[in-house]
């Protein structure tokens, strides 16, 4: 009997397998497909990077640091990945040029990370090999046809007739989860309010938006933070295009760009009389600035065209099993939260599995926090994404919703960074991370903040009233902006509360400033160096024209 069987060898399954095997567990990692293979979920965010930091030091898997920034990815995995220095958003209306004043950007503070656009066929293959290096038994092209649970474990049978007996099962296989099917775990219908379908592929020859947008010079994105330097979101009514370049650094040898279109299927029903190429061309014809990016570009793989992509599960943990992350549910790729959510779940699950193996106790109660976390990740992400889609048609309201998301992204990351530093300073006392789970709102990206929870609730309720026609867009925007101004967790030093006309942001908060003061004055020398670098970055960004810190 092995300790754990993991279904699915994407990043979630492979990294979980590597962690457990590195800590001494006997792990079997199986997958119905094989590597290398096409996958989306290519765009990092700051919280994802910090979760990787935590997993690397908490579970002693140094290879996870190879995903921390573009330099590390290029050196250790290969020169096929892009840079993610920002989230850019441009509002479009049919058959019109976009107004450059209706664009927003969140520039990721360099003091946190220089995140990455991951070319997933390379990253996923790399981490399957890392899992094997630490002792995982690997089976590719191995489809699970039977899952049989009893009091003592689970028997997993493959289509080849090979059988594995394990003490615990982790399903990281995604939407087509065998475990969800076996126990009828999917909510029908899903409780998620957000609606969208999606189509996506890879192209070569995509032009940088900065080169084709035709904006006046004084309204272009700053030269040091161009739209092409990060993930670009072209917003349309209840939908958006994504443009994720892998060729935006000199070191990259990859001409490919990830392209997708995600839209509310109630407004844009999936046609059955045209091809995905024809449907995508129709959308490009409606938005001239987006179409210019695609002039001369060529698709290099078939489209994946999916019906509604939202799904949720009524239960994510049970006796000797866990339905992990994308096997449990999915909302939308809008804010690049897929892998960030995944690795938060990996962290919460891994230490519990290891302790359960040690104690030979797999009671569901030990995993209750994982259940609350996974359900919270779905519900809170659903609130912000649904609010965002509703607001896309009214720029002032969208600008307010964008701020609700943006102004808490940095403190959420700093919270994790502080915990990691406390863990290292304590001599690797694991209590630091376990205490972090005692938050009021598991799954909220700043789970300790009552103020942020209230602000998010106000935002969601207000957007739904706008959607229902109970208030107009300007009134809705006023309510959300007033809630931001009244929120005691939103910082004031560089103008977040002072106006609505700022388009490009570097965000900080009192939490971050307190950490930087501590790191610059109280911490050991190696951490003071980090603190000085962070303070320097904040001061410089505050002095840059339209940047708001």
């Amino acid at each position: 009997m092995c300790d754990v069987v993991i279904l699915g060898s994407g990043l979630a399954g492979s990294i979980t397998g590597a962690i457990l095997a590195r800590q001494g567990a006997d792990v079997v990692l199986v997958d119905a497909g094989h590597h290398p293979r096409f996958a989306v979920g290519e765009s990092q965010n700051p919280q994802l990077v910090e979760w990787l930091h935590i997993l690397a030091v908490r579970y002693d898997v140094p290879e996870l640091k190879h995903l921390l920034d573009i330099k590390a990815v290029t050196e250790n995995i290969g020169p096929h990945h892009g840079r993610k220095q920002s989230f850019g958003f441009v509002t479009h209306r049919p058959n019109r040029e976009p107004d450059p004043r209706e664009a927003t950007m969140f520039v990721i503070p360099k003091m946190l990370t220089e995140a990455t656009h991951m070319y997933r066929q390379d990253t996923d293959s790399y981490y399957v090999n890392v899992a094997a290096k630490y002792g995982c038994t690997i089976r590719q092209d191995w489809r699970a046809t039977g899952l049989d649970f009893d009091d003592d474990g689970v028997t997993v049978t493959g289509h080849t007739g090979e059988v594995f007996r394990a003490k615990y099962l982790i399903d990281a296989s995604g939407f087509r989860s065998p475990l969800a099917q076996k126990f009828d775990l999917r909510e029908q219908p899903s409780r998620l309010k957000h609606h969208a379908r999606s189509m996506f592929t890879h192209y070569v020859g995509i032009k940088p938006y900065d080169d084709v947008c035709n904006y006046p010079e004084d309204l272009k994105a700053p030269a040091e933070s161009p739209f092409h330097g990060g993930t670009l979101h072209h917003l349309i009514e209840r939908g958006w295009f994504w443009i994720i370049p892998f060729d935006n650094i000199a070191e990259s040898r990859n001409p490919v760009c990830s392209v997708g279109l995600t839209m509310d299927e109630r407004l844009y029903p999936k046609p059955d009389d045209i091809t995905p190429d024809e449907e995508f061309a129709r959308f490009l014809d409606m938005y001239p600035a987006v179409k210019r990016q695609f002039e001369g570009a060529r698709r290099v793989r078939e489209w994946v065209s999916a019906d509604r992509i939202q799904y949720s599960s009524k239960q994510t943990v049970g006796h000797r099993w866990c339905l992990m992350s994308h096997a449990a549910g999915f909302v939308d790729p809008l804010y690049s939260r897929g892998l960030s959510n995944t690795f938060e779940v990996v962290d919460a699950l891994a230490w519990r599995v290891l302790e359960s193996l040690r104690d030979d106790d797999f009671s569901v109660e030990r995993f209750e926090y994982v259940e609350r976390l996974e359900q919270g990740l779905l519900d809170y992400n659903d609130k912000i994404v649904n609010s965002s889609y509703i607001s896309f048609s009214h720029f002032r309201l969208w600008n307010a919703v964008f701020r609700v998301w943006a102004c808490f992204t940095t403190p959420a990351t700093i919270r994790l960074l502080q915990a990691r530093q406390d863990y290292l300073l304590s001599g690797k006392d694991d209590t630091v991370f376990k205490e972090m789970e005692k938050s009021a709102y598991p799954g909220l990206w700043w789970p300790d903040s009552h103020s942020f929870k209230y602000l998010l609730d106000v935002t969601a309720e207000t957007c739904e009233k706008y959607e229902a026609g109970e208030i107009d867009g300007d009134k809705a925007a006023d309510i959300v902006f007033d809630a931001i101004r009244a929120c005691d967790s939103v910082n004031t030093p560089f103008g977040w509360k002072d106006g609505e006309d700022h388009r490009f942001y570097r965000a900080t908060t009192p939490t971050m400033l307190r950490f930087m003061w501590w790191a610059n004055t109280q911490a050991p020398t190696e951490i003071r160096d980090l603190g000085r670098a962070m303070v320097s970055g904040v001061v410089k960004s505050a002095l840059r024209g339209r940047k708001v810190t």
Side-chain angles (χ1 to χ4, degrees):
M1 174 183 282
C2 67
D3 291 326
V4 179
V5 167
I6 301 175
L7 307 180
S9 63
L11 285 179
S14 293
I15 288 178
T16 303
I19 286 170
L20 295 177
R22 179 73 177 95
Q23 295 297 314
D26 181 5
V27 179
V28 175
L29 178 62
V30 304
D31 198 294
H34 63 270
H35 297 278
R37 65 187 180 206
F38 172 65
V40 290
E42 300 140 319
S43 177
Q44 293 185 345
N45 66 20
Q47 283 175 278
L48 161 61
V49 174
E50 190 52 42
W51 277 116
L52 289 167
H53 266 296
I54 288 172
L55 292 171
V57 299
R58 188 178 190 185
Y59 300 104
D60 192 24
V61 183
E63 290 84 358
L64 296 182
K65 295 183 179 181
H66 297 167
L67 279 180
L68 293 182
D69 56 55
I70 185 58
K71 182 178 179 181
V73 175
T74 300
E75 289 181 351
N76 295 284
I77 301 177
H80 299 129
H81 310 268
R83 176 179 58 182
K84 166 77 174 272
Q85 66 177 166
S86 64
F87 294 77
F89 303 88
V90 179
T91 297
H92 297 263
R93 292 176 176 79
N95 306 310
R96 289 170 54 182
E97 288 291 330
D99 184 341
R101 292 163 296 188
E102 294 187 348
T104 56
M105 180 185 289
F106 175 81
V107 181
I108 300 171
K110 286 185 178 180
M111 65 212 59
L112 295 183
T113 178
E114 190 170 31
T116 306
H117 291 155
M118 296 180 291
Y119 192 51
R120 287 287 300 273
Q121 69 179 51
D122 286 7
T123 56
D124 292 24
S125 295
Y126 179 81
Y127 283 102
V128 169
N129 294 336
V130 170
K133 168 189 169 180
Y134 284 116
C136 288
T137 298
I138 307 293
R139 294 288 186 272
Q140 298 190 60
D141 295 313
W142 196 97
R143 180 168 47 85
T145 57
L147 305 176
D148 298 299
F149 290 84
D150 55 51
D151 290 343
D152 299 320
V154 55
T155 301
V156 183
T157 304
H159 76 288
T160 63
E162 187 176 20
V163 176
F164 292 104
R165 177 76 175 158
K167 298 175 183 176
Y168 197 79
L169 177 75
I170 297 172
D171 190 332
S173 63
F175 171 70
R176 294 180 177 84
S177 157
L179 192 61
Q181 183 176 9
K182 176 179 177 63
F183 291 131
D184 191 25
L185 298 176
R186 293 284 186 255
E187 293 180 327
Q188 299 293 345
S190 171
R191 69 180 185 272
L192 301 175
K193 293 183 178 181
H194 174 54
H195 279 255
R197 64 182 178 95
S198 188
M199 54 191 300
F200 46 87
T201 187
H202 282 169
Y203 269 77
V204 295
I206 299 290
K207 295 178 173 65
Y209 185 67
D210 310 88
D211 295 345
V212 301
C213 63
N214 296 340
Y215 290 176
E217 285 298 321
D218 62 335
L219 292 177
K220 286 187 174 181
E224 70 274 21
S225 304
F227 284 111
H228 197 64
T231 302
L232 177 56
H233 309 68
H234 289 302
L235 309 181
I236 63 177
E237 183 178 4
R238 298 198 80 105
W240 60 288
F241 299 81
W242 77 67
I243 306 291
I244 301 176
F246 301 116
D247 64 349
N248 61 359
I249 60 169
E251 295 79 7
S252 176
R253 299 295 178 264
N254 188 355
V256 165
C257 184
S258 178
V259 171
L261 174 59
T262 301
M263 61 286 201
D264 191 325
E265 83 283 0
R266 298 168 299 183
L267 183 60
Y268 307 100
K270 188 176 181 180
D272 55 13
D273 58 344
I274 59 174
T275 67
D277 275 317
E278 291 170 329
E279 182 181 19
F280 192 70
R282 288 184 182 181
F283 274 94
L284 290 182
D285 285 341
M286 287 191 287
Y287 303 102
V290 183
K291 186 174 183 178
R292 287 195 294 273
Q293 282 197 268
F294 285 81
E295 290 175 354
R298 297 175 302 283
R299 179 172 56 79
V300 298
R301 61 171 59 251
E302 293 304 307
W303 287 98
V304 176
S305 183
D307 296 314
R308 187 186 180 197
I309 57 176
Q310 291 71 48
Y311 57 96
S312 53
S313 300
K314 51 197 172 189
Q315 183 180 350
T316 69
V317 298
H319 181 62
R320 295 187 181 269
W321 58 263
C322 176
L323 198 64
M324 177 187 282
S325 197
H326 287 172
F330 184 74
V331 179
D332 197 276
L334 180 62
Y335 293 114
S336 304
R337 287 191 56 83
L339 287 175
S340 173
N341 292 353
T342 292
F343 293 130
E344 186 168 359
V345 174
V346 170
D347 182 67
L349 178 64
W351 72 264
R352 287 177 166 85
V353 170
L354 291 168
E355 286 196 355
S356 293
L357 290 169
R358 182 195 66 201
D359 301 339
D360 193 25
D361 177 5
F362 295 90
S363 58
V364 176
E365 291 76 19
R366 299 186 77 144
F367 296 87
E368 186 270 338
Y369 173 81
V370 180
E371 174 80 42
R372 289 193 295 125
L373 174 63
E374 295 206 82
Q375 301 293 6
L377 287 167
L378 285 174
D379 290 340
Y380 293 126
N381 198 29
D382 184 46
K383 280 192 175 186
I384 192 66
V385 171
N386 190 50
S387 298
S388 299
Y389 268 66
I390 292 168
S391 71
F392 286 166
S393 61
H394 190 283
F395 180 73
R396 276 196 69 234
L397 180 56
W398 155 246
N399 195 17
V401 174
F402 163 76
R403 290 169 185 243
V404 171
W405 164 75
C407 65
F408 288 97
T409 295
T410 296
T413 308
I414 292 297
R415 171 181 178 268
L416 301 179
L417 193 155
Q418 285 180 298
R420 176 167 59 92
Q421 299 298 350
D422 288 345
Y423 172 75
L424 294 172
L425 290 170
S426 70
K428 298 189 176 181
D429 180 0
D430 206 53
T431 305
V432 171
F433 294 127
K434 293 178 179 178
E435 286 294 317
M436 203 168 51
E437 293 184 354
K438 297 177 181 178
S439 54
Y441 311 108
L444 187 65
W445 55 102
W446 193 1
D448 307 307
S449 174
H450 301 291
S451 297
F452 178 46
K453 169 65 163 54
Y454 176 75
L455 177 58
L456 180 61
D457 288 344
V458 169
T459 301
E461 292 167 7
T462 302
C463 287
E464 289 176 23
K465 288 181 180 179
Y466 167 65
E467 180 182 34
E470 297 175 18
I471 54 178
D472 64 24
D474 283 324
K475 176 61 176 176
D478 289 342
I479 292 171
V480 178
F481 275 120
D482 286 345
I484 293 172
R485 295 183 183 100
C487 182
D488 59 12
S489 295
V490 177
N491 63 299
T492 57
F494 300 103
W496 273 108
K497 297 185 182 181
D498 297 337
E500 303 173 17
D501 59 341
H502 303 288
R503 301 184 302 129
F504 303 108
Y505 304 100
R506 290 187 188 274
T508 185
T509 67
T511 300
M512 186 173 184
L513 294 173
R514 284 195 297 271
F515 169 75
M516 290 188 295
W517 169 83
W518 170 83
N520 198 38
T521 62
Q522 307 295 310
T525 302
E526 65 273 16
I527 299 180
R528 291 188 198 181
D529 291 340
L530 171 64
R532 281 191 289 271
M534 295 173 76
V535 171
S536 174
V538 168
V539 172
K540 288 178 181 177
S541 65
L543 296 176
R544 287 189 186 121
R546 290 168 301 189
K547 290 293 197 321
V548 180
T549 304

